[in-house]
Amino acid sequence: MTHPRLSDATLAALPPAVARPAYERAATRIGVVHLGAGAFHRAHQAVYLDDALALDPDWAVCAVSLRNPDVRDALRPQDGLYTLAILGDTPQLRVVGALREVLCARDEQAAVLARLGDPAVRLVTLTVTEKGYCLAGDGLDLAHPDIVHDLATPDAPVSAIGHVVAGLARRRAAGLAPYTVLSCDNLADNGGRLRRAALDFAARLDPALARWIEAEATFPRSMVDSITPATDDALLARVADALGMHDAWPVQRERYAQWVVEDRFCNGRPPLERVGVTLSDDIAGFDRAKLRLLNGPHSALAYLGLLVELETVADAMRHPGLARYVERLMREDIAPTLDVPAGLDLDAYVTAILDRFRNPAIRHRLAQIAWDGSQKLPVRLLGTIRDALAAGRRIDRLCLPIAAWMHFVRRQAHDGVVLVDPMADTLAQLGRAATGEARGDVARFLALRAVFGEMAQQAMVVEPIMQAYASLEDGSGIASFAEMSLPL
Ligand code: CS2
């Protein structure tokens, strides 16, 4: 039997167990443009905004994919509706109505730019992943092909930064107020970095525009958290079954969700504080603790777990050596490098993260987390290594996941698997050249300055990475690092 499609027309026919928008969708207005319409946005910010719409109808979302039309093609026939499965012993399903419009900039750019220039739009949010910011060091990578393209044709941008600035330029030209630009990606000081990138870009187009953005627009920092495994066949089947309807692209996440946002909005904001968002004057500390204590260990589990043929985070947490290793990494190596924000109990935070990793109701594939290692390692682990060294601490255990990433790249290259990573070509060459001999292999990887900066010159870093690399080569790695006691 073919199911009817989820849409405004079929919303009323949803079974009572499936939650649905608690407001009249037709009475809402688009007040947010979101760039990067992937699963994380739809499982996280869009759900908070769905709650906010029940309180204030002005903050519906126009979700934009920059290049890939798949989300638009899946959701437009559904009027932007989709199902969120909140995973637990018995998953709870909820149809989210916050997306009133779904666009793909590559083939509907005029509509995207018109939205960005619409006075009703007062907030632009982004989940474009680390690589989507086109950063080099602290600022914009002016040599990035997308940035070169967008600076040459600023009215037909391809990058996220190009879109943010094109919209702001239109608003300035029309005498409108700017919008707040809110990064929701896993980068330390995401708002500050986005602001610098936007200013760098605008300054090259028109210094007066850059000054206007600097004076009028705000780029709050935010910390986002909720584990969101990619949509799989099991989810599609579960949703079809429970809804009695076809939803082309449901999403799933754990129950836990956190969103901490700096309260610096230049043109009004949704009633976020009433829907569970923490608004704060200063979120530095929270974003770093989350990146280092959740995302860092996540990447560690991914590269180490894949080397021993495990599939999911929960599987890795059932591997005694890995589970012990990662807990010690968090408590003994990462936590001591953090300046603890007031109100955060680090011990309890670590315990809660470990519980979330163990959640048997979630099949979060290590391969998904392993994507984009060249972008993730600096933010998640290398900063901790630098801080630990500066504090005179041993970094042996912290180096194991770095070595595991190198082995992972090598193995993928030898198996002919194309990496999901903006540096895939360079990494494939390095991986093919790797022989398993620690000194040569590690030296070649560390020469990637975009990832490792000056680390190749620091014997204090090179030596422990080589040792970790050799221990993974001879198979002793995980077990010996799990038991290693390091003098402080
Ligand atoms: C993960 C994150 O895929 C990854 O790299 O580490 O997506 C992680 O699940 C989220 O940041 C949790 O908030």
Side-chain angles (χ1 to χ4, degrees), residues 186 224-227 290 294-295 298 364 369 376 380:
N186 286 321
V224 291
D225 192 7
S226 192
I227 289 174
K290 190 262 171 172
L294 189 149
N295 297 108
H298 237 181
H364 194 190
I369 301 169
K376 290 177 176 174
R380 297 177 174 205

